[in-house]
């Protein structure tokens, strides 16, 4: 037996050599195709991130070299009332945007799943998302203008007082949340619709045979099986909401009286308006940490990596 195995060994090794060479060749081809993306990630993401972290511990303007000051920027941020105001304003925006966008998108996804079978209707939902953020903001800025906006024209026509959508502290953030909800709602609905399509139809058939009501079916079947997609949607939506900038920059510029100065816009002001890149980098690092914590907490509690669909 030992002699046979020893004699067969060279033949076995010879058979494995082409497989080994083929595996090495496939690895080289894979690395060749991955290399451009990896280079782009390193150049445009990893290096700027590491440099931003370094600059957050320095005093730096574009006219001079960075000067190491340790944690002074972070200590100043802890005492900065504008930072805490920006964080509170951003939290208000995120809360309104998430509640509106997720609820409306889920409703649209259910309607597409049950009623609207036309691909034209599904495609039409994506039209606002295909519009640039700046264009969408300008469009609604004109429509909601206090003096010449068509929305206030109709409000005035029915005898109600006009609303300063962008000029009042109460309406500035809710209005911007509504604009971004309008723009992203169709895309979010299509993601949820794709999740609904993955749920087997026989699950609903069994529920109907058991006499489950539509609400019971939605609560006991649809929502648990949709959880991984819903978790992804919430994470993407929350991260995008924390990074809102274009709408604020086009419409209110953080006003009135800092009522819409979100954290991303405050970072821009500190870094590019006041040329305090060290302080702006520290603010950006704090925002990065907040987003990482929020994403981790969402994945932990929503169990986005688990599915009830077996």
């Amino acid at each position: 037996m030992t002699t046979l195995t020893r004699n067969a060994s060279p033949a076995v090794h010879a058979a494995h050599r082409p497989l080994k060479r083929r595996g090495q060749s496939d690895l080289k081809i894979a690395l060749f195709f991955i290399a451009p993306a990896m280079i782009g990630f390193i150049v445009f993401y990893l290096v700027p991130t590491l440099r931003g972290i370094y600059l957050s511990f320095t005093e730096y303007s574009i006219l001079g070299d960075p000067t190491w000051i340790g944690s002074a920027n972070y200590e100043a941020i802890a005492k900065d009332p504008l930072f805490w105001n920006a964080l509170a304003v951003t939290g208000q925006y995120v809360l309104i945007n998430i509640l509106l966008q997720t609820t409306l998108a889920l409703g649209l996804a259910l309607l597409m799943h049950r009623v609207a079978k036309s691909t034209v209707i599904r495609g039409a939902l994506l039209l606002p998302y295909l519009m640039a953020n700046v264009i969408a903001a300008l469009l609604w800025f004109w429509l909601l203008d206090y003096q010449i906006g068509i929305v206030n024209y109709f409000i005035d026509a029915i005898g109600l007082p006009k609303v300063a959508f962008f000029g009042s502290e109460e309406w500035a953030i809710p209005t911007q949340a509504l604009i971004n909800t309008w723009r992203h709602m169709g895309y979010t609905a299509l993601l949820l619709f794709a999740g609904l399509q993955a749920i087997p139809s026989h699950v609903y058939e069994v529920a109907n045979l058991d006499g489950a009501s539509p609400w019971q079916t939605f609560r006991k079947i649809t929502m648990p099986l949709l959880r991984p997609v819903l978790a992804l949607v919430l994470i993407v939506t929350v991260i995008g909401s924390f990074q809102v900038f274009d709408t604020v920059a086009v419409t209110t510029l953080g006003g009135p009286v800092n009522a819409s100065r979100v954290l991303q816009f405050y970072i821009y002001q500190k870094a590019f308006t006041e040329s305090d890149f060290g302080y702006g980098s520290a603010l950006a690092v704090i925002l990065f940490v907040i987003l990482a914590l929020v994403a981790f907490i969402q994945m932990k509690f929503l169990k986005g990596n688990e599915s009830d669909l077996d």
Side-chain angles (χ1 to χ4, degrees), residues 28-288:
K28 291 178 181 178
I29 294 173
L31 291 175
F32 175 78
F33 283 103
I34 292 173
M38 287 299 298
I39 293 171
F41 172 78
I42 292 170
V43 173
F44 296 107
Y45 288 94
L46 184 60
V47 172
T49 299
L50 295 177
R51 178 167 171 78
I53 294 172
Y54 163 71
L55 290 177
S56 70
F57 294 98
T58 67
E59 183 179 352
Y60 174 59
S61 70
I62 200 169
L63 300 176
D65 296 327
T67 303
W68 184 267
I69 58 173
S71 61
N73 284 326
Y74 294 98
E75 293 171 8
I77 288 173
K79 302 173 184 177
D80 185 359
L82 288 178
F83 164 74
W84 294 109
N85 175 77
L87 190 60
V89 169
T90 304
Q92 180 189 359
Y93 171 86
V94 170
L95 185 62
I96 297 172
N97 189 49
I98 294 303
L99 289 175
L100 283 176
Q101 188 178 149
T102 306
T103 304
L104 294 175
L106 183 59
L108 281 175
L110 290 170
L111 284 175
M112 285 192 292
H113 187 59
R114 296 293 183 89
V115 180
K117 304 295 183 181
S118 172
T119 55
V120 176
I121 295 176
R122 297 171 188 171
L125 290 174
L126 268 182
L127 291 179
Y129 182 74
L130 299 177
M131 188 182 300
N133 279 334
V134 173
I135 301 300
L138 283 174
L139 171 66
W140 283 102
F141 187 61
W142 293 330
L143 289 175
L144 300 174
D145 185 84
Y146 186 81
Q147 298 294 339
I148 62 173
I150 191 171
V151 175
N152 268 314
Y153 172 81
F154 284 113
I155 290 175
D156 185 58
I158 61 177
L160 296 175
K162 291 183 177 182
V163 179
F165 289 101
F166 297 103
S168 67
E169 297 181 38
E170 295 79 13
W171 279 99
I173 281 296
T175 300
Q176 289 168 0
L178 285 169
I179 292 172
N180 284 291
T181 295
W182 170 81
R183 182 178 180 272
H184 294 90
M185 182 175 58
Y187 175 73
T188 306
L190 286 178
L191 290 178
L192 294 172
F193 173 73
L196 290 172
Q197 292 286 91
I199 300 176
S201 59
H202 66 79
V203 178
Y204 292 108
E205 293 171 1
V206 172
N208 288 331
L209 290 175
D210 289 341
S213 66
W215 169 247
Q216 290 174 325
T217 302
F218 173 77
R219 188 166 59 91
K220 298 290 187 179
I221 297 176
T222 303
M223 288 304 293
L225 296 182
L226 195 62
R227 187 179 62 234
V229 178
L230 189 59
L232 170 66
V233 165
L234 285 173
I235 290 171
V236 172
T237 307
V238 168
I239 291 175
S241 299
F242 267 100
Q243 295 177 317
V244 62
F245 172 80
D246 301 4
T247 310
V248 176
V250 169
T251 57
T252 61
L253 294 173
V257 197
N258 298 326
S260 62
R261 191 198 299 264
V262 292
L263 191 53
Q264 190 84 335
F265 190 74
Y266 188 43
I267 294 171
Y268 163 79
Q269 285 184 318
K270 278 294 181 182
F272 295 99
T273 303
E274 302 178 18
S275 296
D276 193 348
F277 287 95
Y279 197 88
S281 297
L283 290 169
V285 170
I286 290 174
L287 177 59
F288 173 78

